[in-house]
Amino acid sequence: MAILSQTLFPVTATPPSSLFSLNRFSRSHHHFAYFSSSSSSPTEKLRATAWRFAFATRAKSVATMAANEEFTGNLKRQLAKLFDVSLKLTVPDEPSVEPLVAASALGKFGDYQCNNAMGLWSIIKGKGTQFKGPPAVGQALVKSLPTSEMVESCSVAGPGFINVVLSAKWMAKSIENMLINGVDTWAPTLSVKRAVVDFSSPNIAKEMHVGHLRSTIIGDTLARMLEYSNVEVLRRNHVGDWGTQFGMLIEYLFEKFPDTDSVTETAIGDLQVFYKASKHKFDLDEDFKERAQQAVVRLQGGDPVYRKAWAKICDISRTEFAKVYQRLRVELEEKGESFYNPYIAKVIEELNSKGLVEESEGARVIFLEGFDIPLMVVKSDGGFNYASTDLTALWYRLNEEKAEWIIYVTDVGQQQHFNMFFKAARKAGWLPDNDKTYPRVNHVGFGLVLGEDGKRFRTRATDVVRLVDLLDEAKTRSKLALIERGKDKEWTPEELDQTAEAVGYGAVKYADLKNNRLTNYTFSFDQMLNDKGNTAVYLLYAHARICSIIRKSGKDIDELRKTGKLALDHADERALGLHLLRFAETVEEACTNLLPSVLCEYLYNLSEHYTRFYSNCQVNGSPEETSRLLLCEATAIVMRKCFHLLGITPVYKI
């Protein structure tokens, strides 16, 4: 059945009034017959019939009245709006049924499917319905579907599956509009307005190593996707800047540099070496150990001399962290463990006043159902720990920063800790029992980075790999590959350096992000810097090739975007156009499930669709040149947005 001529506007039809008890609704072309319960009076039946006719007319007219509204992003969501109206017209007695719309896996029979018929039949078959089975329900849903310019045709297959074919003309127009108005018009709309993403979080006085890589780049990508979706994101770096280790660091600093005011980053040298030396002395020298323990007391008591030394160590660490973040193009606002210190006692008292905190072996703990051990919030010596700090940070983010969604990006080994303190927060009434309801919290766990020997990725000296060394190596290898291709003779030194950095750093990021974050992955420079297969190098080069095709046309692409017309007549043009239009729903899925790999898969498939299109559809010099150049430009724009969301810098020539 062809569905003709009106553009979709998101519509949610009003459900039937609860004043009427209505059992049946049948529709044949433009004739409507309604059946009310036998207990209704004739007057009530007339009112019910009149109301339902008005509802049907209004639902259809609202969907078509707003038809001139343009496509604004999520194809699946807009189709769901159409089927929502159809469901309410077809089975008005079941207002709670949600449309089940999904992209067709193979695309052989349609672009999308509505899969409500079978589930709906199981609900209504015992209620005296006039339908004879799922296929009849499917046919009725198609007949009730509001007219829409976006739908070319619908067909019912098997047990009521509705296959939807989109209009190629409407698809082309939607891509034209994006080219004029920008890809931000395709941004998904999420129900949350403000989120905290807590990621990276290295420890002060320790260098960032490969173990920090995953948290930093996964967290950055999640933040970027949420920001693109118009969510205000508070990017939080919960650095380890407080605790007993600072006693030994401060005492070692005093020992090596009695005049702490003159201490510089250069004087201290490698912070990692400084940390190891202080730890070595702490383990072997009892006098030093005692002084270090006293230093902790003085620091936490607010002694200005010790606070100043602590601040000096923190500042040197921050300088080193900042260099890594700058290279990775990652933005963060530090609110470390020490920031929450002034609030901890108040939060523990609140938990205590609710009867949650109990004494256990000298410590104060919260017992939680389903866990063998309690959550310790105050140690037996009266000190605070990770749980007390994390609970306080959560309290602050909910009450002071008014965050609706708080996302923690750490390794999977910390899963139990997060499960316990999330449960404690629910027990305190800070969070709803339903973990899908806002305000909500999520732990985004990730697996290990392994070496090619299948063990934790380390240097030959069995040390963890420093992140700066890893990035240097990626850039160096990338530059060598470019020089082997003679690019040092074609490009300026600046172009060579910038491209090597973009490709090298992009390769490191993409090799991590393309994997399901919950799994371990093997770090291999050879694999990630390969220019074939699902790698950043392949994708960056694919983007550069598209830019080269557009440049070689000699056409002013900015002018074409304003005046040119796009057509999707060839099967490969249409397949590429459809994939472009699925961008928003992909970003929404990646955000909702907190899975950057979903976006990586989309990007790789986009490059594959483009390759098929370019192989079978001549661009420059063809009668369809203008249209196909616009399709090239649309592909490049969406690729660049994907790169941006993944924190990868695009390259424009190879």
Side-chain angles (χ1 to χ4, degrees):
M1 170 187 169
I3 309 290
L4 305 172
S5 91
Q6 292 288 347
T7 307
L8 167 66
F9 179 76
V11 173
T12 303
T14 308
S17 168
S18 59
L19 292 172
F20 305 110
S21 175
L22 304 163
N23 296 332
R24 282 187 174 179
F25 165 45
S26 67
R27 179 178 185 271
S28 175
H29 299 287
H30 295 289
H31 174 72
F32 297 85
Y34 301 90
F35 302 86
S36 61
S37 67
S38 58
S39 61
S40 301
S41 69
T43 304
E44 285 175 326
K45 288 180 180 178
L46 285 171
R47 284 177 180 165
T49 303
W51 188 91
R52 289 207 174 193
F53 185 82
F55 168 74
T57 305
R58 178 177 175 273
K60 294 283 279 189
S61 64
V62 167
T64 54
M65 265 173 50
N68 294 326
E69 193 72 18
E70 294 174 354
F71 170 67
T72 54
N74 194 321
L75 261 182
K76 187 161 68 173
R77 191 178 292 279
Q78 291 199 256
L79 280 172
K81 294 286 187 183
L82 281 178
F83 278 101
D84 188 54
V85 174
S86 176
L87 282 163
K88 287 175 171 56
L89 289 168
T90 306
V91 283
D93 295 326
E94 307 296 340
S96 63
V97 175
E98 297 287 335
L100 302 175
V101 175
S104 297
L106 300 176
K108 187 176 180 181
F109 302 108
D111 303 315
Y112 284 83
Q113 276 192 338
C114 176
N115 300 321
N116 280 96
M118 286 183 69
L120 199 53
W121 170 248
S122 68
I123 294 171
I124 64 175
K125 64 182 178 182
K127 298 182 179 180
T129 176
Q130 81 274 22
F131 299 118
K132 302 301 183 185
V137 175
Q139 294 288 355
L141 287 171
V142 170
K143 289 179 180 179
S144 297
L145 198 68
T147 53
S148 169
E149 198 177 60
M150 74 185 293
V151 179
E152 178 69 33
S153 64
C154 289
S155 60
V156 180
F161 297 126
I162 300 171
N163 293 309
V164 181
V165 176
L166 299 176
S167 160
K169 183 178 178 181
W170 176 87
M171 289 163 59
K173 181 64 179 173
S174 299
I175 296 170
E176 285 175 13
N177 289 339
M178 183 276 285
L179 287 169
I180 294 168
N181 301 317
V183 73
D184 286 352
T185 59
W186 283 4
T189 302
L190 304 181
S191 58
V192 63
K193 298 301 178 190
R194 180 180 291 175
V196 167
V197 182
D198 179 328
F199 66 106
S200 193
S201 308
N203 288 316
I204 292 292
K206 289 187 177 181
E207 281 200 273
M208 293 181 71
H209 53 77
V210 70
H212 295 110
L213 178 68
R214 302 207 75 182
S215 177
T216 303
I217 63 178
I218 291 170
D220 181 53
T221 292
L222 294 176
R224 287 170 181 262
M225 291 193 300
L226 289 167
E227 287 160 349
Y228 176 61
S229 306
N230 298 305
V231 177
E232 180 189 358
V233 178
L234 307 181
R235 294 162 162 258
R236 292 290 176 258
N237 199 4
H238 190 83
V239 297
D241 65 351
W242 203 248
T244 55
Q245 76 272 24
F246 281 96
M248 68 182 191
L249 289 166
I250 291 169
E251 276 306 311
Y252 195 70
L253 184 71
F254 287 161
E255 191 173 283
K256 291 293 182 184
F257 306 97
D259 180 15
T260 53
D261 288 342
S262 63
V263 174
T264 63
E265 178 186 343
T266 307
I268 287 182
D270 190 325
L271 258 181
Q272 189 77 5
V273 173
F274 185 85
Y275 183 93
K276 285 181 177 179
S278 67
K279 181 70 167 67
H280 182 73
K281 183 147 191 169
F282 182 87
D283 291 339
L284 297 179
D285 188 330
E286 283 299 321
D287 289 341
F288 179 82
K289 184 175 184 178
E290 191 173 327
R291 292 199 308 276
Q293 289 168 342
Q294 287 301 312
V296 174
V297 176
R298 290 184 180 183
L299 173 64
Q300 295 181 346
D303 185 307
V305 174
Y306 286 78
R307 282 293 177 106
K308 192 172 183 180
W310 167 75
K312 177 74 72 174
I313 294 168
C314 290
D315 285 344
I316 293 170
S317 267
R318 286 190 192 101
T319 302
E320 292 303 308
F321 297 160
K323 291 175 185 176
V324 175
Y325 294 139
Q326 186 176 11
R327 292 173 74 170
L328 291 172
R329 288 181 166 81
V330 171
E331 294 181 4
L332 280 154
E333 182 182 353
E334 183 183 312
K335 273 192 169 67
E337 293 173 358
S338 65
F339 176 85
Y340 302 102
N341 247 18
Y343 303 92
I344 294 179
K346 175 184 172 184
V347 169
I348 299 298
E349 183 51 42
E350 180 184 321
L351 295 170
N352 190 51
S353 69
K354 293 182 176 183
L356 271 64
V357 181
E358 301 178 41
E359 293 286 333
S360 177
E361 299 179 11
R364 301 175 72 190
V365 303
I366 299 174
F367 287 97
L368 300 166
E369 187 180 344
F371 294 93
D372 296 333
I373 56 172
L375 182 69
M376 185 189 299
V377 293
V378 182
K379 295 187 290 186
S380 56
D381 63 4
F384 300 125
N385 61 359
Y386 285 127
S388 42
T389 302
D390 283 341
L391 281 166
T392 302
L394 176 58
W395 176 91
Y396 184 89
R397 290 162 177 175
L398 290 169
N399 293 282
E400 299 296 326
E401 294 180 323
K402 308 296 183 187
E404 300 162 81
W405 196 5
I406 300 141
I407 299 162
Y408 300 82
V409 187
T410 76
D411 65 273
V412 291
Q414 298 186 47
Q415 184 70 57
Q416 185 183 51
H417 167 72
F418 283 98
N419 288 344
M420 289 180 75
F421 102 77
F422 290 168
K423 187 150 191 173
R426 289 193 175 90
K427 198 171 179 180
W430 297 353
L431 299 169
D433 290 334
N434 183 345
D435 62 8
K436 301 296 183 187
T437 305
Y438 295 102
R440 63 185 284 197
V441 290
N442 282 96
H443 174 232
V444 175
F446 54 81
L448 298 172
V449 181
L450 304 177
E452 295 191 63
D453 59 359
K455 299 176 181 178
R456 278 180 183 264
F457 189 40
R458 295 182 181 274
T459 65
R460 287 179 181 174
T462 72
D463 291 327
V464 291
V465 179
R466 300 192 321 161
L467 203 41
V468 288
D469 293 340
L470 185 146
L471 294 173
D472 286 343
E473 178 76 6
K475 181 177 176 180
T476 299
R477 289 185 180 225
S478 175
K479 183 178 280 190
L480 285 172
L482 291 168
I483 290 171
E484 285 175 6
R485 297 172 58 193
K487 297 304 175 183
D488 56 325
K489 297 177 178 62
E490 297 177 26
W491 298 347
T492 65
E494 291 77 18
E495 287 176 325
L496 182 66
D497 193 70
Q498 288 169 4
T499 304
E501 185 170 289
V503 173
Y505 295 176
V508 170
K509 288 185 176 185
Y510 188 82
D512 187 312
L513 294 168
K514 74 176 182 180
N515 296 289
N516 183 317
R517 56 175 169 76
L518 292 169
T519 62
N520 300 337
Y521 86 96
T522 300
F523 191 97
S524 167
F525 280 118
D526 290 339
Q527 288 182 17
M528 66 178 61
L529 290 168
N530 195 329
D531 61 2
K532 296 179 178 62
N534 188 8
T535 67
V537 183
Y538 168 76
L539 295 167
L540 287 166
Y541 286 5
H543 171 262
R545 278 192 290 274
I546 297 172
C547 296
S548 174
I549 291 162
I550 295 170
R551 284 195 301 271
K552 286 178 181 176
S553 74
K555 299 292 175 66
D556 183 342
I557 196 66
D558 291 330
E559 187 59 31
L560 281 187
R561 280 160 66 166
K562 297 173 190 172
T563 60
K565 294 297 176 186
L566 196 152
L568 301 173
D569 297 331
H570 191 282
D572 291 318
E573 291 175 319
R574 189 185 186 284
L576 176 57
L578 176 61
H579 194 74
L580 288 170
L581 289 166
R582 286 176 171 165
F583 174 63
E585 65 197 56
T586 302
V587 176
E588 184 169 333
E589 180 189 347
C591 282
T592 303
N593 297 319
L594 301 168
L595 288 173
S597 56
V598 169
L599 183 62
C600 293
E601 183 181 9
Y602 171 88
L603 175 57
Y604 179 66
N605 289 337
L606 176 59
S607 72
E608 294 288 275
H609 277 294
Y610 180 82
T611 299
R612 281 191 290 274
F613 152 73
Y614 188 67
S615 298
N616 297 318
C617 301
Q618 182 185 344
V619 178
N620 292 334
S622 70
E624 303 86 1
E625 183 181 58
T626 295
S627 172
R628 289 175 177 172
L629 282 171
L630 289 174
L631 195 53
C632 289
E633 176 70 356
T635 303
I637 287 170
V638 173
M639 287 189 83
R640 285 195 289 273
K641 181 53 72 173
C642 288
F643 288 140
H644 169 76
L645 297 178
L646 297 170
I648 296 172
T649 302
V651 297
Y652 291 84
K653 60 181 185 178
I654 52 172

